[in-house]
Amino acid sequence: MTAPQAIERIDAYPTRRIAGFPVRAGRPLPFGATPVPGGVNFSVYSNNATGMTLVLYRAGEPEPMAELPFPDAFVIGGVYAMTVYDLDAEGIEYGYRAQGPFDPERGHRFDPTVVVADPYARLMSDARTGPRRSRVALDDFDWEDDRPLRLPHEDLVIYELHARGFTRDPSSGVAAPGTYAGLVEKIPYLRELGVNCVELLPVFEFDENDNPRSHPVTGEPLANYWGYNTVGYFAPKASYASTGRYGMQADEFKNLVKQLHRAGIEVILDVVFNHTAEGNEYGPTISFKGLDNATYYMLTPDGHYYNFSGTGNTLNCNNPVVRGFVLDCLRYWASEFHIDGFRFDLAAILGRGPDGALLANPPLLETLAYDPVLRDCKLIAEAWDAAGLYQVGSFPNYCRWSEWNGRYRDTVRRFVKGDTGVTGDLATRMVGSPDMYAQRGTSATVNFVLCHDGFTLNDLVSYNGKHNEVNGEDNRDGDNNNQSWNCGVEGPTDDPEVLALRARQMRNVFMILLASQGVPMILAGDEVGRTQQGNNNAYCHDGPLTWFDWRLVERNADLLRFVRRAIAFRQAHPVLRRGPASEVSWHGVRAWTADWSEHCRLIAGMFGTGADDCVYVAANSHWEGHLLELPEPPQGTAWHLFADTAAPPPFDAREPGEEPVLPDQSHVEVGPRAVVVLVAHSQAEQRDNGKEE
């Protein structure tokens, strides 16, 4: 039996020549540059342009090799589409000149002297090797049997990292430092740590050199290190790829995702749809501004840019065209790169209408929540913006969205440094913040204490104030409300008592975070005590200040071991990840009698009631220790000691399943500024394991 042959288009031939190239009317969809039999189909949208020209370059050359105006017959609605034949797809770069009015008061900023980038460009050239231009991507990566992992939300331990900074330091020892390939070499470290999800700071193409400031001491140019000024939404960052100069960044990034999945680790991307790299009316024209400014940006009635992002412009996300652009982008990353979820920067902006007003039912957020392609993707909102809109606990969620829980961060910081009046709030945060997320469950809250924006954990316990002088803004930038405490000395010290207290405070933060219901997120490097020397806004430093120093893995091995065991303990006990808050009982110095008074700095919770899984967590931020009366463990079990952050290493945490039985089953001592964690094991099991003391 002969297999049927695929039917080829009968109109796949040129109909005319433009600038020496054979062409024909193209297909309007999909947008972008798409290889087709014999050529490349180019499609770009502009509702307000009066004409459009395709500009072709030989890769790396400064001047165009051809400019092809779109004939009127090649325009359908607001879409300019043309198929160009006899092109070497891998050997060309391209852009567009858009003709139209320059009338800023009406929102139009067309400038045909500028060649703008394709918003749908799947690749962009590496700016280190020449001008940044759009390129054509080929779809030839072999995923084998890779699929998104679909891990339950509550089971995630998220690890936020910078794709370059994680391995850029020479101490990383990888073959290609600062690249996707280098990150692949560190997957065994991630597995051993126990995290099962990495959240990558922006990896969409951006310009790391667009910072106008200089280092106030060295005079060297500062960088845009974090990457929140996106240039190409469909293009993986070329300079993060060891093969970027050869145009292989998409394949290298796909291999990173594939290898992480093989290790059981999901991938979440930090995406930025609230603004672009084009800034306000004084910023550069890169893409949207030159193609259709009035469509893509929120504009005031007199044509200026609304600035809800704090960066100069605000993307007009609830315009139907822009909404489609965002949806296309996320579908592309989910389907073509097997991404498991997205974290949306300043996501509250995505709920604003074209005039900036808050929408009751934001169509973009609803569309993303119900999109069939994105059904299994995690959607995580940073539920605030730079204009004062704060929606933690009230973000339009459609029973799909999770939120970075800023209230969890603030409460844990205040409790650990010893503030009064937060014990009750800490209890609420530790059971998944049901005051905010009762209907959605513990998967709705992403609990974190530190993230890229702010102090590292080491600095949180080493500095009372920010030290951002090297950012070139006279220490005016960065948050002033850090809720930090230096343990008695500002910055570095050799005082052994101060160092011991700081180490204990870091263990306290980790233990509370990993014993809280919800989804914990860890900032990369905190598990080994990484410092940024008190800088809480290090967005502009691409150097040792922000890179992961791998020598700390050995130097702070005790802290790393503690974190590994705490993560493993969490994974061994589902009661710490999910379950109704009603199954958690609260205690104090006396069992079954929690002290919710203003002055109290002690709280203890018993998670679970059954013999199969029951954990007792006591957190004390008082500078004195306390003897706590214990509730009886479930029948047939006895209390065993997993962690005591006041104990010297390695007795601060045990291997899960190997905890020694507590000698006194009725009381436990919790030290000054310490956390104690007990677990109920069956007595029969204990005798079998020969662990009774």
Side-chain angles (χ1 to χ4, degrees):
M1 184 175 179
T2 303
Q5 292 184 339
I7 299 175
E8 296 184 358
R9 286 176 62 104
I10 61 174
D11 59 349
Y13 57 87
T15 58
R16 65 177 78 181
R17 297 184 75 85
I18 300 178
F21 284 88
V23 302
R24 67 169 297 118
R27 300 181 184 179
L29 295 175
F31 293 127
T34 307
V36 296
V40 178
N41 187 74
F42 296 90
S43 175
V44 63
Y45 160 84
S46 178
N47 194 47
N48 292 296
T50 57
M52 190 75 66
T53 298
L54 171 67
V55 183
L56 297 174
Y57 299 84
R58 291 184 181 86
E61 293 192 356
E63 299 300 324
M65 68 176 183
E67 300 203 17
L68 292 72
F70 286 79
D72 289 343
F74 290 9
V75 183
I76 300 177
V79 180
Y80 297 77
M82 175 162 52
T83 298
V84 182
Y85 294 89
D86 299 341
L87 282 179
D88 173 14
E90 293 185 273
I92 64 163
E93 298 167 349
Y94 72 99
Y96 296 103
R97 298 187 196 275
Q99 293 86 42
F102 185 83
D103 186 357
E105 290 190 0
R106 298 178 59 198
H108 302 311
R109 293 181 175 273
F110 291 99
D111 182 358
T113 67
V114 177
V115 178
V116 297
D118 180 0
Y120 279 80
R122 271 72 166 175
L123 286 181
M124 300 196 82
S125 55
D126 189 341
R128 297 172 301 179
T129 60
R132 178 176 287 104
R133 299 198 185 109
S134 306
R135 299 195 64 172
V136 181
L138 302 181
D139 184 15
D140 55 1
F141 183 77
D142 183 5
W143 281 101
E144 300 179 84
D145 60 350
D146 180 81
R147 293 288 184 275
L149 298 181
R150 301 189 181 96
L151 299 178
H153 286 226
E154 299 91 342
D155 292 348
L156 295 184
V157 177
I158 299 175
Y159 189 74
E160 189 197 36
L161 67 84
H162 190 286
R164 186 209 297 275
F166 196 57
T167 64
R168 183 61 185 83
D169 192 271
S171 63
S172 70
V174 302
T179 67
Y180 307 129
L183 183 47
V184 169
E185 292 189 53
K186 290 299 183 182
I187 289 176
Y189 173 84
L190 299 175
R191 290 196 61 178
E192 190 174 0
L193 179 60
V195 299
N196 55 11
C197 178
V198 294
E199 181 174 308
L200 300 176
L201 266 68
V203 296
F204 295 178
E205 190 61 56
F206 66 93
D207 184 356
E208 58 254 69
N209 299 316
D210 69 355
N211 192 329
R213 294 188 172 85
S214 299
H215 193 292
V217 177
T218 67
E220 295 177 348
L222 293 174
N224 169 16
Y225 173 66
W226 286 348
Y228 285 87
N229 281 344
T230 307
V231 169
Y233 283 85
F234 289 74
K237 178 104 183 90
S239 67
Y240 287 179
S242 61
T243 57
R245 63 186 66 248
Y246 309 113
M248 298 292 292
Q249 56 268 36
D251 283 359
E252 189 171 320
F253 184 75
K254 288 177 178 178
N255 184 59
L256 168 62
V257 176
K258 182 177 170 181
Q259 298 306 323
L260 285 166
H261 282 174
R262 282 182 174 176
I265 299 173
E266 290 196 339
V267 180
I268 289 177
L269 299 186
D270 193 340
V271 294
V272 189
F273 290 108
N274 60 79
H275 75 279
T276 75
E278 295 186 301
N280 59 15
E281 49 268 34
Y282 303 109
T285 297
I286 299 172
S287 182
F288 299 117
K289 189 181 287 186
L291 281 173
D292 204 342
N293 187 65
T295 295
Y296 284 106
Y297 290 110
M298 292 187 194
L299 300 175
T300 64
D302 58 354
H304 293 283
Y305 293 88
Y306 280 116
N307 184 18
F308 301 112
S309 66
T311 63
N313 66 50
T314 307
L315 207 58
N316 192 11
C317 284
N318 281 302
N319 174 289
V321 171
V322 186
R323 197 163 69 231
F325 171 81
V326 174
L327 182 61
D328 288 346
C329 178
L330 297 178
R331 283 176 167 178
Y332 178 71
W333 285 93
S335 60
E336 296 298 322
F337 287 84
H338 295 195
I339 295 304
D340 302 278
F342 303 93
R343 176 267 185 190
F344 294 76
D345 182 64
L346 299 183
I349 285 178
L350 309 187
R352 293 183 182 271
D355 61 352
L358 190 61
L359 301 173
N361 186 30
L364 174 60
L365 300 180
E366 183 182 41
T367 298
L368 299 183
Y370 292 109
D371 184 73
V373 177
L374 303 177
R375 187 196 67 177
D376 296 328
C377 286
K378 280 82 174 176
L379 303 177
I380 303 171
E382 185 184 39
W384 54 82
D385 68 17
L389 180 58
Y390 191 78
Q391 295 182 301
V392 173
S394 61
F395 188 81
N397 61 80
Y398 306 97
C399 295
R400 276 280 280 123
W401 286 81
S402 302
E403 299 172 13
W404 267 25
N405 191 342
R407 191 166 171 183
Y408 180 95
R409 171 200 59 203
D410 299 339
T411 299
V412 173
R413 287 186 178 196
R414 290 186 60 201
F415 177 84
V416 169
K417 76 186 180 74
D419 280 5
T420 57
V422 294
T423 303
D425 199 44
L426 178 68
T428 303
R429 302 305 134 226
M430 290 185 68
V431 293
S433 298
D435 56 333
M436 298 189 290
Y437 307 115
Q439 294 184 337
R440 285 184 277 165
T442 53
S443 65
T445 171
V446 175
N447 298 332
F448 69 104
V449 184
L450 293 309
C451 68
H452 67 279
D453 190 359
F455 279 143
T456 66
L457 177 56
N458 180 83
D459 292 354
L460 186 75
V461 300
S462 303
Y463 295 90
N464 284 346
K466 64 184 182 182
H467 297 268
N468 297 353
E469 291 80 4
V470 293
N471 296 353
E473 298 182 55
D474 298 323
N475 207 31
R476 295 187 304 272
D477 60 309
D479 200 340
N480 292 317
N481 183 27
N482 297 291
Q483 300 295 341
S484 60
W485 178 49
N486 63 17
C487 297
V489 176
E490 187 75 353
T493 179
D494 295 327
D495 187 319
E497 291 188 8
V498 172
L499 293 175
L501 178 56
R502 288 175 177 175
R504 188 190 311 169
Q505 291 284 71
M506 288 193 280
R507 294 195 293 270
N508 290 340
V509 169
F510 270 117
M511 200 64 257
I512 292 173
L513 175 66
L514 292 166
S516 296
Q517 294 178 340
V519 182
M521 186 181 78
I522 298 169
L523 174 63
D526 278 350
E527 75 277 14
V528 292
R530 188 176 73 86
T531 179
Q532 290 179 169
Q533 300 172 21
N535 193 321
N536 74 349
N537 190 33
Y539 75 99
C540 52
H541 298 280
D542 186 4
L545 184 73
T546 52
W547 296 342
F548 192 117
D549 182 352
W550 288 89
R551 295 171 298 182
L552 297 174
V553 170
E554 181 175 356
R555 191 176 303 161
N556 292 329
D558 285 334
L559 178 60
L560 177 58
R561 174 194 43 76
F562 180 89
V563 177
R564 285 172 179 161
R565 290 180 176 179
I567 292 174
F569 185 81
R570 175 183 180 82
Q571 300 295 32
H573 296 282
V575 291
L576 298 179
R577 308 197 297 273
R578 61 177 68 91
S582 59
E583 292 189 2
V584 180
S585 57
W586 296 104
H587 311 266
V589 172
R590 296 185 60 188
W592 306 103
T593 307
D595 183 355
W596 305 116
S597 62
E598 179 74 14
H599 68 275
C600 182
R601 293 183 173 89
L602 170 72
I603 186 66
M606 187 166 72
F607 292 71
T609 57
D612 57 332
D613 195 8
C614 183
V615 174
Y616 175 90
V617 181
N620 176 32
S621 63
H622 192 200
W623 50 87
E624 294 181 357
H626 296 279
L627 184 64
L628 308 184
E629 181 186 36
L630 291 172
E632 289 189 5
Q635 187 173 9
T637 69
W639 289 122
H640 294 64
L641 178 63
F642 165 67
D644 179 359
T645 62
F651 304 109
D652 48 3
R654 309 297 180 124
E655 286 290 348
E658 299 181 4
E659 301 91 348
V661 67
L662 196 67
D664 181 354
Q665 287 290 301
S666 61
H667 293 84
V668 66
E669 178 85 28
V670 58
R673 300 186 186 278
V675 177
V676 166
V677 178
L678 309 179
V679 57
H681 285 313
S682 76
Q683 294 167 316
E685 177 186 355
Q686 194 60 44
R687 285 193 297 272
D688 292 343
N689 292 339
K691 295 173 185 171
E692 284 190 318
E693 295 177 354

